[in-house]
Amino acid sequence: MAGALLDDLLDWLRIPSISTGGGDPADLERAAAWAAERLRAAGGGVELVRLGDAAPLVVGELRSADPGAPTVLAYGHYDVQGAGDEAAWDSPPFAPEIRDGRVFARGAADDKGNFLPLLHAACDLARRDALPVHVRVVVEGEEEAGSLAVTEWLRADARGADAAIVFDSGMADARTPAITIGLRGIVMCRLAVRCGERDLHSGLYGGAVLNALHVVHRLLAEVVPGPDGGLRGELLDGAEPAAEAERATWDRLPPGAEVLAEVGAIPSDAGAAAEFYERTGARPSLDLNHVEAGAPRTVVPATAHAAFSLRLAPRQRAQALRATIERLLRAALPEGCELELEWHTAEPALFEPGEPAIRLAAEALERACGTPPVLMRSGGSIPIVAELAAKGIPTIVTGFVLPDDPFHAPNESFSLTGLELGERAAHELLHALAALPRP
Ligand code: BES
Ligand code: MN
Ligand code: MN
């Protein structure tokens, strides 16, 4: 592997560009400037686009010598999740370390290490004036916080692209690359309940007054899954089961029971492991993320807060589901209580496996990895992908993260093999997409 790629990655990983709270905005700026500098050094045009107070979007242009070549948009994100409990890390999250053939650091897999090979390959080809396609590079700094700015930018962008490559997902297993043809959408909800002016003594008033924590329980009971793991009918609206032909391809994926055992998880119900891919790829799910209220003493809390998120299956509509949830919550709110809701949504995405760009990409990945990719759905969300789909831009979502690279968790890692495969795959993809119909 080009040592330059690894050195560059270690550099980028040292910048704690956290977008999920608790980070320093100056570090997001530094991480953006770092990516912009790579593009500039390769002779590309670069702009840092600032929308509102969002972290800057890095937008770069690398031109092919062939003016009539198709244009490919290459996307990644430079923001990372917070490190959580630093004591749970074997080495500090922002002091990258190489052990056992992997780089350990926050962002190693999601998404700096996963994306950098794509940026590197494009810059490399540009420097040698050997780009087979025009490349528009978009690196955003708030993917982990909902992608508002990049969504706004893309909606207003009149130029578009003939295809997009997103390096922000994973392989099926250590030998098998994947193209993620489906991603779930999301409706995130934060709620605040107020049921009184102040906290009260639970002995003097208990039994006679509303308790905000009880009210939050009642509201949440309207939306959380039942003991069989299933959601109420209204929340399934619009979700279609995966087609038989697509389901047949899941046989190439590791069995659901293995996937759950690998992370030490307990299946939510008897059917969960066997239906793992159907459940996470083709069905919505709701998870409670946070509840905060009261204190462990004899108090009746006057206020309570909670956060939950509904992952949307392909074809479900975020605004419709958001309205449904709001109706369910408000209907369960006792007289006199106040309910404040804060929302963030992203639409799901699903691409046709037969799409020419996907077919070309599948061949390219087979050349890079020696094994044909599986076309799979992932339960995660990448908000920009639905926007690309809405613009009719066929998008290849792929990447080289493995299930044992715990992104979003302590000891996040990315294998050096993943870096190498990523670089080869990026070269193959950029060459393969030159065969797209000319614009
Ligand atoms: N890269 C992930 C999503 C992902 C992971 C897709 C693995 C496919 C395979 C991304 O950075 C992520 O974590 N997205 C958030 C988006 C949310 C904050 C809107 C997610 O899914 O929680
Ligand atoms: Mn990511
Ligand atoms: Mn992420």
Side-chain angles (χ1 to χ4, degrees):
M1 179 196 345
L5 173 58
L6 179 57
D7 287 345
D8 263 7
L9 175 58
L10 299 179
D11 251 12
W12 209 14
L13 289 172
R14 285 188 194 100
I15 308 174
S17 43
I18 298 166
S19 67
T20 54
D24 182 347
D27 288 322
L28 286 161
E29 291 282 338
R30 281 169 61 215
W34 188 97
E37 186 46 40
R38 298 275 122 1
L39 285 155
R40 231 171 262 125
V46 199
E47 213 189 327
L48 288 181
V49 178
R50 289 166 202 282
L51 294 170
D53 51 12
L57 269 180
V58 183
V59 180
E61 301 279 346
L62 300 167
R63 305 286 298 173
S64 165
D66 171 3
T71 298
V72 172
L73 190 151
Y75 166 90
H77 62 92
Y78 64 78
D79 65 316
V80 300
Q81 294 261 328
D85 177 13
E86 296 213 11
W89 289 72
D90 295 333
S91 54
F94 298 105
E97 223 179 85
I98 300 170
R99 302 191 296 271
D100 312 323
R102 343 170 64 87
V103 184
F104 287 84
R106 170 58 83 232
D110 188 10
D111 179 36
K112 290 170 176 167
N114 207 0
F115 168 68
L116 192 58
L118 177 58
L119 180 64
H120 242 252
C123 287
D124 228 44
L125 290 164
R127 246 182 268 112
R128 291 188 276 124
D129 204 20
L131 265 179
V133 291
H134 303 303
V135 180
R136 299 183 76 193
V137 176
V138 179
V139 200
E140 71 154 310
E142 53 171 26
E143 195 277 340
E144 303 290 5
S147 295
L148 281 181
V150 78
T151 302
E152 186 183 331
W153 176 83
L154 187 63
R155 281 187 191 160
D157 172 60
R159 280 189 33 218
D162 300 295
I165 306 177
V166 173
F167 270 28
D168 192 21
S169 103
M171 300 180 77
D173 61 47
R175 242 158 302 142
T176 319
I179 296 177
T180 302
I181 55 165
L183 286 161
R184 288 199 284 185
I186 194 166
V187 176
M188 296 194 265
C189 177
R190 283 177 185 228
L191 61 90
V193 164
R194 174 172 284 282
C195 303
E197 280 174 20
R198 58 182 179 83
D199 292 355
L200 295 170
H201 190 292
S202 70
L204 301 188
Y205 300 97
V209 297
L210 274 174
N211 177 321
L213 194 40
H214 298 184
V215 171
V216 157
H217 269 257
R218 257 190 258 168
L219 300 194
L220 294 176
E222 294 292 316
V223 293
V224 296
D228 63 348
L231 288 176
R232 60 190 295 161
E234 294 99 315
L235 299 181
L236 303 177
D237 234 27
E240 303 164 12
E244 198 41 60
E246 195 187 337
R247 209 172 299 146
T249 67
W250 297 346
D251 290 349
R252 285 185 60 205
L253 300 170
E258 223 168 80
V259 175
L260 296 181
E262 188 166 15
V263 294
I266 302 171
S268 55
D269 55 85
E275 288 183 350
F276 178 78
Y277 294 104
E278 181 83 30
R279 298 255 189 129
T280 59
R283 285 195 210 159
S285 61
L286 188 137
D287 277 282
L288 196 46
N289 308 121
H290 189 77
V291 178
E292 195 170 69
R297 51 193 171 80
T298 53
V299 70
V300 180
T303 59
H305 294 83
F308 63 85
S309 38
L310 176 70
R311 296 280 173 173
L312 304 175
R315 313 282 184 242
Q316 288 192 291
R317 302 296 314 208
Q319 290 321 316
L321 273 297
R322 174 190 145 156
T324 300
I325 293 173
E326 175 152 10
R327 182 171 53 71
L328 293 171
L329 296 177
R330 294 224 178 263
L333 188 70
E335 186 81 32
C337 288
E338 280 168 34
L339 173 63
E340 264 177 53
L341 298 170
E342 230 180 85
W343 302 92
H344 186 75
T345 59
E347 299 288 350
L350 184 63
F351 294 93
E352 268 311 314
E355 179 86 55
I358 304 245
R359 300 243 293 266
L360 291 169
E363 291 162 12
L365 287 175
E366 177 169 3
R367 282 193 295 278
C369 306
T371 309
V374 280
L375 306 191
M376 61 183 282
R377 299 177 181 211
S378 163
S381 307
I382 307 176
I384 193 182
V385 176
E387 297 300 323
L388 291 164
K391 288 201 133 189
I393 300 175
T395 301
I396 295 119
V397 180
T398 185
F400 295 89
V401 173
L402 288 170
D404 53 356
D405 298 313
F407 55 101
H408 292 204
N411 296 316
E412 175 173 351
S413 68
F414 192 61
S415 71
L416 301 181
T417 318
L419 271 185
E420 223 166 277
L421 284 176
E423 200 170 32
R424 275 216 295 279
H427 272 99
E428 291 290 352
L429 285 167
L430 292 170
H431 280 104
L433 293 178
L436 281 173
R438 301 227 138 199

